[in-house]
Amino acid sequence: MPVNPARRRWVGALGSAAALAATGVALVPARAARKPVVEVWKSATCGCCHEWVAHLEKHGFQVKTHDVDAPGDYREKFGLPQKYGSCHTAKVEGYVLEGHVPAREIQRLLRERPQALGLAVPGMPVGSPGMEVGSRKDPYDVLLVARDGRASVYQNYR
C-alpha cells in the first residue's frame, strides 16, 4: 500500500519533535517567540532617546530607529496633538507612542488593545525610562490618548 506524502511529512515532523523533546529543547510557537517591533523617530544627537530605546530592548521589544531632523513632524503626521509632545515619537502595532513611555505600559497596551491613538508621556520627566538622573524620580502620568485628542491617565508613577 503506497504511503500518503502528507502523512509521511507529518510522521517525520512528529519524530523530529520527539527527538528535540528528548534532548530538552523546548518547542516554542513562532508567535510566542515574536518580539513586537517599535519604530522610533528621534534626533540623532538625543542621548535620552538612545536610553529609552535600550530600555525597550531590555524588556523584549525589537526597535527600529530613524534619526530625523524634526521628530515632532512625525507626531503631527500620526495625529497626536502637540500638547502631548516629547523628544521622540514611535509606533507599535498601529499605536502611537510619544516620549518616555515605560515598556510595562506598552506591553499592557498591546495586551488590552484599547480603542485609542496611543500612549504619551508629555515632556521629559526625570525618572522616566531614559531620563534617569541618580535617584531622583519626578511624578508623571502615562496618558492614554483617544483618537479625538482627549486623554485619560493610563498609569501614574509617583
Side-chain angles (χ1 to χ4, degrees):
M1 175 193 267
V3 177
N4 180 325
R7 183 168 187 240
R8 179 178 288 150
R9 284 191 301 274
W10 183 84
V11 169
L14 186 61
S16 297
L20 284 173
T23 63
V25 175
L27 298 177
V28 179
R31 184 175 177 188
R34 181 182 67 84
K35 292 181 177 185
V37 177
V38 178
E39 203 165 355
V40 182
W41 289 266
K42 65 178 195 60
S43 166
T45 59
C46 186
C48 66
C49 294
H50 175 76
E51 294 301 319
W52 183 69
V53 166
H55 166 77
L56 294 184
E57 291 172 336
K58 177 182 172 187
H59 288 88
F61 290 95
Q62 181 181 343
V63 183
K64 180 178 180 183
T65 61
H66 305 278
D67 291 336
V68 296
D69 292 331
D73 290 352
Y74 291 86
R75 179 182 326 116
E76 184 178 335
K77 175 181 176 181
F78 300 144
L80 191 74
Q82 192 66 29
K83 65 184 175 182
Y84 303 122
S86 185
C87 59
H88 56 263
T89 302
K91 286 196 90 171
V92 61
E93 297 187 14
Y95 289 104
V96 177
L97 305 171
E98 181 67 25
H100 295 267
V101 179
R104 181 175 96 175
E105 305 317 323
I106 301 168
Q107 291 162 342
R108 178 180 161 204
L109 178 79
L110 296 178
R111 265 192 326 272
E112 295 177 354
R113 301 259 179 214
Q115 293 294 317
L117 183 61
L119 298 176
V121 174
M124 298 168 69
V126 173
S128 61
M131 289 296 298
E132 293 88 355
V133 178
S135 61
R136 178 178 159 193
K137 291 187 188 273
D138 292 346
Y140 69 95
D141 293 326
V142 177
L143 303 176
L144 179 67
V145 182
R147 295 195 184 283
D148 67 3
R150 291 181 295 157
S152 58
V153 175
Y154 193 64
Q155 182 67 49
N156 60 42
Y157 285 81
R158 303 285 179 254

mmCIF file of all heavy atoms in Angstrom, residues 42 46-59 88 100 128-132:
data_model
loop_
_atom_site.group_PDB
_atom_site.id
_atom_site.type_symbol
_atom_site.label_atom_id
_atom_site.label_comp_id
_atom_site.label_asym_id
_atom_site.label_seq_id
_atom_site.Cartn_x
_atom_site.Cartn_y
_atom_site.Cartn_z
ATOM 1 N N LYS A 42 13.518 59.939 16.006
ATOM 2 C CA LYS A 42 14.222 60.707 17.024
ATOM 3 C C LYS A 42 15.340 61.521 16.402
ATOM 4 O O LYS A 42 15.729 61.308 15.266
ATOM 5 C CB LYS A 42 14.792 59.769 18.081
ATOM 6 C CG LYS A 42 15.878 58.833 17.516
ATOM 7 C CD LYS A 42 16.460 57.950 18.579
ATOM 8 C CE LYS A 42 17.747 57.293 18.130
ATOM 9 N NZ LYS A 42 18.825 58.203 17.782
ATOM 10 N N CYS A 46 20.195 62.920 20.459
ATOM 11 C CA CYS A 46 19.465 62.852 21.737
ATOM 12 C C CYS A 46 19.860 61.603 22.519
ATOM 13 O O CYS A 46 19.478 60.487 22.160
ATOM 14 C CB CYS A 46 17.962 62.874 21.493
ATOM 15 S SG CYS A 46 17.022 62.960 23.030
ATOM 16 N N GLY A 47 20.598 61.791 23.590
ATOM 17 C CA GLY A 47 21.040 60.675 24.430
ATOM 18 C C GLY A 47 19.906 59.995 25.173
ATOM 19 O O GLY A 47 19.915 58.777 25.353
ATOM 20 N N CYS A 48 18.904 60.766 25.616
ATOM 21 C CA CYS A 48 17.805 60.143 26.368
ATOM 22 C C CYS A 48 16.967 59.239 25.460
ATOM 23 O O CYS A 48 16.436 58.233 25.917
ATOM 24 C CB CYS A 48 16.956 61.185 27.082
ATOM 25 S SG CYS A 48 16.039 62.301 26.011
ATOM 26 N N CYS A 49 16.866 59.582 24.188
ATOM 27 C CA CYS A 49 16.141 58.718 23.239
ATOM 28 C C CYS A 49 16.870 57.378 23.110
ATOM 29 O O CYS A 49 16.245 56.317 23.096
ATOM 30 C CB CYS A 49 16.038 59.381 21.868
ATOM 31 S SG CYS A 49 15.023 60.860 21.824
ATOM 32 N N HIS A 50 18.206 57.453 23.032
ATOM 33 C CA HIS A 50 19.023 56.240 22.950
ATOM 34 C C HIS A 50 18.790 55.366 24.184
ATOM 35 O O HIS A 50 18.652 54.146 24.077
ATOM 36 C CB HIS A 50 20.499 56.620 22.817
ATOM 37 C CG HIS A 50 21.422 55.458 22.850
ATOM 38 N ND1 HIS A 50 21.589 54.607 21.785
ATOM 39 C CD2 HIS A 50 22.204 54.972 23.851
ATOM 40 C CE1 HIS A 50 22.443 53.654 22.120
ATOM 41 N NE2 HIS A 50 22.832 53.854 23.360
ATOM 42 N N GLU A 51 18.709 55.993 25.354
ATOM 43 C CA GLU A 51 18.486 55.246 26.594
ATOM 44 C C GLU A 51 17.089 54.626 26.632
ATOM 45 O O GLU A 51 16.899 53.527 27.140
ATOM 46 C CB GLU A 51 18.715 56.139 27.816
ATOM 47 C CG GLU A 51 20.161 56.582 27.983
ATOM 48 C CD GLU A 51 21.127 55.416 28.127
ATOM 49 O OE1 GLU A 51 20.799 54.438 28.838
ATOM 50 O OE2 GLU A 51 22.210 55.474 27.511
ATOM 51 N N TRP A 52 16.087 55.328 26.099
ATOM 52 C CA TRP A 52 14.731 54.781 26.055
ATOM 53 C C TRP A 52 14.690 53.558 25.134
ATOM 54 O O TRP A 52 14.059 52.548 25.455
ATOM 55 C CB TRP A 52 13.729 55.844 25.597
ATOM 56 C CG TRP A 52 12.309 55.381 25.600
ATOM 57 C CD1 TRP A 52 11.533 55.083 26.687
ATOM 58 C CD2 TRP A 52 11.480 55.154 24.454
ATOM 59 N NE1 TRP A 52 10.268 54.691 26.282
ATOM 60 C CE2 TRP A 52 10.216 54.728 24.922
ATOM 61 C CE3 TRP A 52 11.679 55.285 23.079
ATOM 62 C CZ2 TRP A 52 9.163 54.423 24.063
ATOM 63 C CZ3 TRP A 52 10.626 54.977 22.230
ATOM 64 C CH2 TRP A 52 9.392 54.556 22.726
ATOM 65 N N VAL A 53 15.375 53.644 24.001
ATOM 66 C CA VAL A 53 15.455 52.512 23.076
ATOM 67 C C VAL A 53 16.084 51.313 23.786
ATOM 68 O O VAL A 53 15.591 50.179 23.684
ATOM 69 C CB VAL A 53 16.232 52.892 21.794
ATOM 70 C CG1 VAL A 53 16.621 51.663 20.995
ATOM 71 C CG2 VAL A 53 15.413 53.859 20.942
ATOM 72 N N ALA A 54 17.157 51.542 24.543
ATOM 73 C CA ALA A 54 17.814 50.460 25.288
ATOM 74 C C ALA A 54 16.846 49.855 26.316
ATOM 75 O O ALA A 54 16.820 48.626 26.506
ATOM 76 C CB ALA A 54 19.072 50.981 25.977
ATOM 77 N N HIS A 55 16.047 50.684 26.960
ATOM 78 C CA HIS A 55 15.035 50.216 27.920
ATOM 79 C C HIS A 55 14.039 49.285 27.220
ATOM 80 O O HIS A 55 13.706 48.215 27.754
ATOM 81 C CB HIS A 55 14.322 51.438 28.525
ATOM 82 C CG HIS A 55 13.059 51.128 29.251
ATOM 83 N ND1 HIS A 55 13.029 50.592 30.527
ATOM 84 C CD2 HIS A 55 11.759 51.286 28.880
ATOM 85 C CE1 HIS A 55 11.763 50.432 30.897
ATOM 86 N NE2 HIS A 55 10.978 50.848 29.924
ATOM 87 N N LEU A 56 13.576 49.675 26.041
ATOM 88 C CA LEU A 56 12.615 48.837 25.306
ATOM 89 C C LEU A 56 13.244 47.503 24.917
ATOM 90 O O LEU A 56 12.621 46.448 25.075
ATOM 91 C CB LEU A 56 12.105 49.564 24.069
ATOM 92 C CG LEU A 56 11.260 50.811 24.301
ATOM 93 C CD1 LEU A 56 10.768 51.350 22.966
ATOM 94 C CD2 LEU A 56 10.095 50.545 25.230
ATOM 95 N N GLU A 57 14.467 47.540 24.415
ATOM 96 C CA GLU A 57 15.142 46.302 24.003
ATOM 97 C C GLU A 57 15.350 45.379 25.200
ATOM 98 O O GLU A 57 15.163 44.166 25.091
ATOM 99 C CB GLU A 57 16.467 46.633 23.319
ATOM 100 C CG GLU A 57 16.273 47.293 21.977
ATOM 101 C CD GLU A 57 17.542 47.803 21.337
ATOM 102 O OE1 GLU A 57 18.530 48.085 22.059
ATOM 103 O OE2 GLU A 57 17.547 47.941 20.098
ATOM 104 N N LYS A 58 15.692 45.952 26.334
ATOM 105 C CA LYS A 58 15.888 45.168 27.562
ATOM 106 C C LYS A 58 14.599 44.464 27.980
ATOM 107 O O LYS A 58 14.632 43.411 28.601
ATOM 108 C CB LYS A 58 16.376 46.091 28.677
ATOM 109 C CG LYS A 58 16.560 45.428 30.013
ATOM 110 C CD LYS A 58 17.002 46.439 31.049
ATOM 111 C CE LYS A 58 16.996 45.807 32.433
ATOM 112 N NZ LYS A 58 17.255 46.797 33.475
ATOM 113 N N HIS A 59 13.470 45.061 27.623
ATOM 114 C CA HIS A 59 12.179 44.498 28.016
ATOM 115 C C HIS A 59 11.468 43.754 26.881
ATOM 116 O O HIS A 59 10.238 43.626 26.877
ATOM 117 C CB HIS A 59 11.285 45.604 28.595
ATOM 118 C CG HIS A 59 11.752 46.034 29.945
ATOM 119 N ND1 HIS A 59 12.684 47.029 30.130
ATOM 120 C CD2 HIS A 59 11.444 45.573 31.173
ATOM 121 C CE1 HIS A 59 12.916 47.172 31.407
ATOM 122 N NE2 HIS A 59 12.185 46.292 32.069
ATOM 123 N N HIS A 88 10.718 62.281 21.252
ATOM 124 C CA HIS A 88 10.662 61.268 20.192
ATOM 125 C C HIS A 88 9.246 60.731 20.050
ATOM 126 O O HIS A 88 8.456 60.785 20.982
ATOM 127 C CB HIS A 88 11.647 60.119 20.457
ATOM 128 C CG HIS A 88 11.458 59.464 21.786
ATOM 129 N ND1 HIS A 88 12.211 59.795 22.887
ATOM 130 C CD2 HIS A 88 10.590 58.513 22.192
ATOM 131 C CE1 HIS A 88 11.818 59.067 23.916
ATOM 132 N NE2 HIS A 88 10.834 58.284 23.521
ATOM 133 N N HIS A 100 8.783 59.181 26.854
ATOM 134 C CA HIS A 100 9.433 58.133 27.642
ATOM 135 C C HIS A 100 8.429 57.189 28.303
ATOM 136 O O HIS A 100 8.382 57.049 29.521
ATOM 137 C CB HIS A 100 10.367 58.790 28.660
ATOM 138 C CG HIS A 100 11.488 59.507 28.003
ATOM 139 N ND1 HIS A 100 12.706 58.920 27.769
ATOM 140 C CD2 HIS A 100 11.555 60.754 27.465
ATOM 141 C CE1 HIS A 100 13.492 59.781 27.136
ATOM 142 N NE2 HIS A 100 12.811 60.895 26.931
ATOM 143 N N SER A 128 11.671 58.856 34.411
ATOM 144 C CA SER A 128 11.003 58.001 33.426
ATOM 145 C C SER A 128 12.091 57.251 32.648
ATOM 146 O O SER A 128 13.254 57.646 32.660
ATOM 147 C CB SER A 128 10.122 58.841 32.498
ATOM 148 O OG SER A 128 10.891 59.780 31.778
ATOM 149 N N PRO A 129 11.753 56.137 31.978
ATOM 150 C CA PRO A 129 12.773 55.366 31.261
ATOM 151 C C PRO A 129 13.547 56.220 30.260
ATOM 152 O O PRO A 129 12.958 56.878 29.399
ATOM 153 C CB PRO A 129 11.975 54.271 30.553
ATOM 154 C CG PRO A 129 10.739 54.132 31.378
ATOM 155 C CD PRO A 129 10.430 55.516 31.872
ATOM 156 N N GLY A 130 14.860 56.223 30.413
ATOM 157 C CA GLY A 130 15.729 57.030 29.556
ATOM 158 C C GLY A 130 16.057 58.385 30.159
ATOM 159 O O GLY A 130 16.952 59.073 29.695
ATOM 160 N N MET A 131 15.334 58.768 31.190
ATOM 161 C CA MET A 131 15.536 60.062 31.849
ATOM 162 C C MET A 131 15.992 59.889 33.298
ATOM 163 O O MET A 131 15.723 60.723 34.146
ATOM 164 C CB MET A 131 14.240 60.888 31.802
ATOM 165 C CG MET A 131 13.879 61.408 30.436
ATOM 166 S SD MET A 131 15.088 62.587 29.790
ATOM 167 C CE MET A 131 14.993 63.894 31.003
ATOM 168 N N GLU A 132 16.686 58.798 33.569
ATOM 169 C CA GLU A 132 17.164 58.541 34.918
ATOM 170 C C GLU A 132 18.308 59.496 35.259
ATOM 171 O O GLU A 132 19.244 59.659 34.480
ATOM 172 C CB GLU A 132 17.644 57.093 35.064
ATOM 173 C CG GLU A 132 16.536 56.070 34.949
ATOM 174 C CD GLU A 132 16.251 55.597 33.531
ATOM 175 O OE1 GLU A 132 16.854 56.124 32.567
ATOM 176 O OE2 GLU A 132 15.410 54.702 33.379
#
